[in-house]
Amino acid sequence: NAGVTQTPKFQVLKTGQSMTLQCAQDMNHEYMSWYRQDPGMGLRLIHYSVGAGITDQGEVPNGYNVSRSTTEDFPLRLLSAAPSQTSVYFCASRQRESYEQYFGPGTRLTVT
Amino acid sequence: DQQVKQNSPSLSVQEGRISILNCDYTNSMFDYFLWYKKYPAEGPTFLISISSIKDKNEDGRFTVFLNKSAKHLSLHIVPSQPGDSAVYFCAASNSGGSNYKLTFGKGTLLTVNP
């Protein structure tokens, strides 16, 4: 199993550009989440999904869009990038009845 | 409003000694707690967890203690090894709440010196 994979590993965007961060898992987990990690802020939940076709907002959803068309994939879209979105983004997945989340390796995004 | 607090941004210990990482929480509805370990340029990995029905859980060199009345938990690493140097995140969840969402603390950077 590859576990949770994320692409790209690094990305630089200009303010106003859009892009999609990819996330895929091969563990057949129903639950998937996106977090951002900023210095001194820990991990903050952006959006999450409890299954294909179902998504919901987390703690810091503004400026981000998600969709879940399959169990395996959970892309995160930045509609119009802003410098405040410079961060490291982690995707995670877990089984329905488990607290333990499996994290991907992260995408480091810089918005100039 | 920070519901999970790790008040020590960093901790430095000598190899072979005990490392104690602390975590406080304010939400009395939290009933499950986890510790994650994160190396630079990698995603966090699960380390150990504890349910609120227990006050201690042990896994090899790692032990988590929970004091519900004080809303405090701690992670003990004995003996500490240089490979334990990483950022440790405390996380909490409310099983009766929304979909087992985790609330994370800000993390503590542990450095184990040889």
Side-chain angles (χ1 to χ4, degrees), chain B residues 38-80:
Chain B
K38 184 184 178 306
Y39 292 119
E42 294 184 11
T45 55
F46 170 74
L47 187 59
I48 193 169
S49 63
I50 188 168
S51 164
S52 62
I53 62 173
K54 295 185 174 181
D55 53 20
K56 176 183 174 181
N57 188 27
E58 196 170 351
D59 183 1
R61 296 185 298 113
F62 303 91
T63 303
V64 56
F65 295 92
L66 175 62
N67 182 334
K68 288 188 290 295
S69 61
K71 294 192 179 66
H72 176 83
L73 63 155
S74 60
L75 174 69
H76 292 211
I77 306 174
V78 185
S80 301

Side-chain angles (χ1 to χ4, degrees), chain B:
Chain B
D1 158 14
Q2 200 183 342
Q3 298 187 67
V4 178
K5 301 177 184 177
Q6 294 179 256
N7 292 321
S8 298
S10 64
L11 174 69
S12 182
V13 300
Q14 285 299 119
E15 182 178 4
R17 305 297 290 269
I18 183 172
S19 295
I20 300 176
L21 293 92
N22 293 304
C23 178
D24 297 293
Y25 61 97
T26 58
N27 188 339
S28 57
M29 299 300 292
F30 287 147
D31 58 3
Y32 200 86
F33 305 89
L34 305 89
W35 285 93
Y36 279 81
K37 177 178 178 179
K38 184 184 178 306
Y39 292 119
E42 294 184 11
T45 55
F46 170 74
L47 187 59
I48 193 169
S49 63
I50 188 168
S51 164
S52 62
I53 62 173
K54 295 185 174 181
D55 53 20
K56 176 183 174 181
N57 188 27
E58 196 170 351
D59 183 1
R61 296 185 298 113
F62 303 91
T63 303
V64 56
F65 295 92
L66 175 62
N67 182 334
K68 288 188 290 295
S69 61
K71 294 192 179 66
H72 176 83
L73 63 155
S74 60
L75 174 69
H76 292 211
I77 306 174
V78 185
S80 301
Q81 300 174 352
D84 296 329
S85 297
V87 176
Y88 289 79
F89 289 102
C90 172
S93 183
N94 168 16
S95 63
S98 176
N99 298 311
Y100 295 16
K101 277 193 291 185
L102 293 182
T103 301
F104 285 86
K106 294 184 178 181
T108 296
L109 173 63
L110 173 66
T111 303
V112 180
N113 302 301

Side-chain angles (χ1 to χ4, degrees), chain A residues 2-79:
Chain A
V4 180
T5 57
Q6 293 183 236
T7 56
K9 287 193 187 310
F10 302 94
Q11 183 70 49
V12 179
L13 290 178
K14 293 190 188 309
T15 297
Q17 287 184 315
S18 63
M19 80 158 294
T20 300
L21 279 61
Q22 302 292 345
C23 174
Q25 53 92 9
D26 61 0
M27 298 173 282
N28 203 31
H29 287 170
E30 290 179 89
Y31 284 43
M32 296 185 74
S33 306
W34 276 101
Y35 293 85
R36 59 179 287 174
Q37 184 194 8
D38 301 295
M41 297 296 291
L43 291 156
R44 293 184 292 170
L45 181 65
I46 304 171
H47 285 284
Y48 65 99
S49 169
V50 301
I54 307 170
T55 63
D56 205 349
Q57 296 182 350
E59 183 184 353
V60 287
N62 292 341
Y64 307 96
N65 246 352
V66 292
S67 60
R68 183 99 179 268
S69 56
T70 66
T71 299
E72 294 77 20
D73 301 297
F74 190 43
L76 178 73
R77 296 183 188 84
L78 280 70
L79 308 172

Side-chain angles (χ1 to χ4, degrees), chain A residues 57-111:
Chain A
Q57 296 182 350
E59 183 184 353
V60 287
N62 292 341
Y64 307 96
N65 246 352
V66 292
S67 60
R68 183 99 179 268
S69 56
T70 66
T71 299
E72 294 77 20
D73 301 297
F74 190 43
L76 178 73
R77 296 183 188 84
L78 280 70
L79 308 172
S80 177
S84 60
Q85 293 178 304
T86 293
S87 187
V88 181
Y89 292 84
F90 291 101
C91 179
S93 73
R94 64 171 174 87
Q95 295 176 336
R96 174 193 288 267
E97 297 292 336
S98 171
Y99 294 93
E100 183 183 339
Q101 298 199 62
Y102 294 80
F103 285 83
T107 294
R108 183 175 292 275
L109 175 69
T110 303
V111 183

